[in-house]
Amino acid sequence: MPVNQKPVTSPNDHRQYRYLELDNALRVLLVSDHQASQAAASMAVNVGHFDDPADRPGMAHFLEHMLFLGTEAYPDPGEYHAFINQHGGSNNAWTGTEHTNFFFTINADAFDESLSRFSQFFIAPLFNRELVDRERQAIESEYSLKLKDDVRRVYQVHKETVNPKHPFSKFSVGNLETLGGNQDKVREELLAFYRAHYSANLMTLCLVSPDSLDTLEAQTRQYFSAIANSSIVKQYPSEPLYTNDELGVWVQAIPLKEQKRLTLTFPLPGIDNLYRRKPLTFLSHLLGNESQGSLQAVLKEKGWVNQISAGGGVNGYNFKDYNISIQLTDRGLGKLDEIIRLTFEYLEVIKQTGLEDWRYRERASLLKLAFRYQEQIKAMDLASHLSINMHHYGVDDLMFGDYRMDGLDIGECTGLLEQMSLENLRVQLVCQELDTNTQADWYHTPYLVRKLTDDERERWAPTGEIDALALPEPNPFIVDDARARPDKSEYEVPVVVAEATGYRLWHKKDDEFNVPKGHLFLSLDSEHASADPRTAALTRLYVEMLLDYLTEYTYPAEVAGLNYNIYPHQGGLTLHLSGFTGNQETLLSLLIDKARERNFTQERFDVTKRMLLRSWYNASKAKPISQLFTSLTVTLQRRSYEPQRMAQVLESCTLEDLHNHVRAFYEKIYLEGLVYGDWLTDEAKALAVRLSHILSLVSSPSDESARELVNLTGKGTVLRELSINHQDSAIIVYYQSPSATPEKMALFALMNHTMSSTFFHELRTEQQLGYMVGTGYLPLNRHPGMIFYVQSPSAGPQQLLEAIDEFIADFSYAVMQITNEQWEVTKIGLINQVMEHDANLKTRGQRYWVSVGNKDYGFDQRESVVAEIEKLTRADLIKFMMQKMRTKHCDRLILFSTGEQHRHLEPLKSMQVITDLPAFKLHSDKFCL
C-alpha cells in the first residue's frame, strides 16, 4: 500500500492521520491530536492462544506476561511499569484467540522515552530465567482468581463440546500445571515461541500524540524499524469449529451463581468479509427488537423470559457463532419447547416480511449519524482499537469500517437466515437444577451433552401460529439529519438557571464538542429512599420495576440513539438521559408519564423481585476482592446495606408494600438537575418550569437528603471479617482523611500515585502474593482516602497485612532516595492525570455532575487540588505518612476474608472488631455531606 494513505474520518474528528509501512513490513497508523494532554501507543500482534503448542496451553498468555519483565536495553523487570506510572500513565495487555494487544498511555512529554522502552519488547526481550517461575505463579494466581467465575466455567464447557481438532478447543489461560517443568527448558520454549510467532509482518502499531505526524513518523522509524521480519504466514487449521458430531446437540451446564439462560446457537462461517453491508447487524436489529409484538415483548408478556439478546457469540478466522440468548424466568424453564418454537416463528416472520429496504435504512442511518457525530475517546482506547482494526480492515476503513452499511443485499440476508435453522442448531441451557454426567477440565463445571431428537425438532418447527408476533412499525424517533447549534455558551461552567424550595437546575450550553447531543441528570432525594435496609430494598425494586415497565415504550427511542438510565443512590434515585437532543424532551415526557402511571402487575412484580433477589444472593459468589469492595462502602456509608441483608427483608415484601413505598417516596422530594450539551438557556429554563409543575402535582418540597459517612478518627485499627467461600484470601486496608480539603485530597492522591507501581511490583511481581494487587485513591462522600488491596491464593490475611504494613513502613525511605527531578516528574504525572482534557461530551457531563454532587459549585476542585499538589514537598509526604500510616495504632479499617486453604493459619486480631455492623454504624460519629 502507498505511504501516507489516509483512513476515512468523521467530519467531527479534528485529528490528523497517516498510514505507513516500514521496510520490515510493520504496518503503522499515526494519529496527531493537538488537543490531547496524553500520548498513547498500542501494538497488536496476530498471535493468540490458537497458536499455543498442544503440550503448552497458555503459552501465548505466558509470553505476554514475560515481555514486560525486562529487555536488553532496559533489564530491570519493574522499570517499564514504574516509568509509565511516574509519568502519569497506565499500561496493560491482553491475549485473545488470534491476537495479543499491548498498550499504554503517558504524559506527552515522556512519549519519546516510553517508545524507546516499549519497542524493545518486540526487539530484544530478556526472558530472564529467574523470572520464569515467578511469572508462572502470576499466571496461576490469575487462573485461580477465575476458578469460580461462571463465564469462564461455561466457556470451558463450550471449548469441550466443539471439534477437538479446532484450536478453539484449547485451554487458553494456562496455569502451573500446563506451564510446569524445568525453568531452563520452559525459557527455551518461550524463546522458540517468540521467534516463531512474533514477526514485524504480523504486527500493527498505532501511535496517538499531540506531536506532529512528521515527529511521530520519525519516532516510529527510530524505535520500531529494528523489529525482525521473519515473513511468517499465518496458517490455522482448516478444520470447522463443529463437525456433524458437535452440531444438533443439547448442552446443559450448572453454574455456581443462580441463573437460567437458554442460548440458541447457529454456527456460521467467518463473517469479516461482510462488514461493508453488515447483514447480521441488520438481522440482529430485527431479532433483538423489544417493542410491542417483538419476540421479547410476547415472551415477556407470557411471563417466560426477562430479556432476549441477539447477535453475540464467538467468532474467528473461519467461524462465527450467532447466538440468541434468552434469560428465563422460573416459569419459562418449564416452557422451553414453546420458547424455542416461537423463536423459529419469529425467524419466519423476518424471512417473509422483514427484509425491506426501509428497515435496513433505519439501522444504517443510525450508524451514519453516529459516525458523523462520532465522539472522541481517550488516546489509549483509540490506539488499542485502531491497532486491532488494522488486522480486520483496509486503510480506508480503519475508522469507518465499524459504521459502514452500504445497502441491503437480500440474497446475503436470506442466505444467513437459511442457516438459522433447526438443522444448523446447538442449544445450551445454563441452570442450577439440571442433570449432568461429566465435569469440565480446569474449571470443574458439571455438564451434559446429547444429540437433539427428531421429536424435539418437530415440536420446535414453526407452524404459522405466530401468537401476536409482529415486526416494528417505522421508528418515530429516528432523525435523518441532526445538527449542533452554533450558539456560544454564556458562561464558562454550569450555572443555576432555576431554583426554588425543593429544587435546583443547573445548565451549560456546550460549545466545544460540536455534537447535537445532550446529557440531562435529574436526582430525586427522598427521606424514604434508604432510611433502612427495607426501604433501600424497595427503592431498588421500584427502579427495576420501572425500567422493566418502560422497556417496551422506550425501545424505539433507545434504538434511535436516545438513552436513559435510572439508578438508586444513598439519598434517592437519579435519571440520566443522553443522546441526540432533537427528541430528548419527548423521551423525558414519555418517561415521566409512564413513571406516574406505575401499572405494576403482580406477575411482573413476582418476576422482577425474583431477579433482584437472585442478583443479591449471587453477590455472595463473586470473587472475594469484589465482595470486600462492596462491603467497604456498606461499612462506612450510613445508608448503604449488604446485598444479603436487603435480600432478607425483601423476601416478605408484597406488591402493596411497593405501592405504599412509592407513595411515601414521592411525598416529599428534593430535585437537583443538570442540563448540559446542545441545550439553549431558554430551553433549560422552560424545562425547569415543567419539572417544577410536575413535582407540585405529586409531592411537597423537601430538603436534600444527608449523605453520612462513618468517621474513623480515634478508632484505631478496626477489623471486619467477611465469611466468603473461596480458596483465596483477600484484604483491603483503608485509610480515611478526617477532612475534605483540597490539601488532603492532594496528599492522598499524591501518596497513591507515588506508591502504586512500587506496591504492585513488590507484592505481585516480587513476593508473588496474588494476581489482584494494588492501591487506589478512594474518595467517599467527598472525603479522600486510600486503599491497599490483595487477593491471594498463597497467603492468609495476617501475612497479607504484614506485607502491606512492611511496605508502608519502608516506603518513606524509598521517597527519601528519589531525586528532586524524579519528585517533580512524579507530581507533574499526577497533575496531568487530574487535569486530563475531557475526551467527549459524556466525560465532561459526568465530571460536571460529580461536581454538583460534591457541592463543588465553582467547578474548580481539580484546579484547587492541583495548586496544592504543586506546593507539596517530599518532606510533606513523608511527614504525612509517618503521622497517618506508620503506627500499628493508626486509624484505619481492614476488611478481610480467609481462604479455605488458609483457615489453619494465625488469624488477624485487633482491639476493635466489627461483629454487629448496624450497631457499629449507629453508634459511630459521622461526617455529613
Side-chain angles (χ1 to χ4, degrees), residues 24 125 140 244 301 651 761 782:
N24 60 357
E140 174 71 16
N244 287 334
E301 194 175 333
E651 287 279 12
H761 181 71
R782 283 195 75 198

Side-chain angles (χ1 to χ4, degrees), residues 125 257 277 290 339 384 457 481 530 539 550 559 569 629 710 730 787 837 870 889:
K257 292 182 177 180
R277 288 182 295 276
E290 298 176 13
I339 291 168
S384 177
R457 286 194 176 94
D481 192 26
S530 53
T539 298
L550 290 167
V559 167
H569 54 70
F629 273 114
V710 169
I787 56 168
H837 180 77
E870 287 171 338
H889 305 292

Side-chain angles (χ1 to χ4, degrees), residues 174-198:
N175 60 15
L176 274 181
E177 182 181 339
T178 69
L179 301 171
N182 177 275
Q183 281 196 118
D184 290 318
K185 181 176 182 294
V186 174
R187 182 181 182 276
E188 285 305 314
E189 291 180 54
L190 273 168
L191 276 166
F193 187 85
Y194 180 79
R195 292 184 189 119
H197 296 286
Y198 273 66

Side-chain angles (χ1 to χ4, degrees), residues 656-671:
E656 185 181 1
D657 292 333
L658 177 65
H659 284 140
N660 290 336
H661 174 70
V662 173
R663 193 158 43 248
F665 181 99
Y666 283 107
E667 276 174 5
K668 289 189 174 182
I669 288 291
Y670 176 81
L671 181 145

Side-chain angles (χ1 to χ4, degrees), residues 329 439 568 679 726 921:
T329 63
Q439 195 173 72
W679 280 72
H726 198 280
K921 290 166 74 169

Side-chain angles (χ1 to χ4, degrees), residues 26-27 43-51 60 94-102 122 193 196-205 232-236 316-317 387-388 390-392:
L26 175 69
R27 289 172 289 145
M43 182 75 87
V45 191
N46 188 187
V47 58
H49 85 74
F50 281 5
D51 299 285
W94 53 259
T95 303
T97 53
E98 298 169 42
H99 297 95
T100 304
N101 191 201
F102 303 84
F122 313 102
F193 187 85
H197 296 286
Y198 273 66
S199 172
N201 71 304
L202 298 181
M203 299 181 183
T204 54
L205 174 69
I232 295 169
V233 178
K234 293 298 291 191
Q235 268 193 315
Y236 287 127
Y317 70 96
S387 67
I388 292 294
M390 291 167 78
H391 287 275
H392 297 289

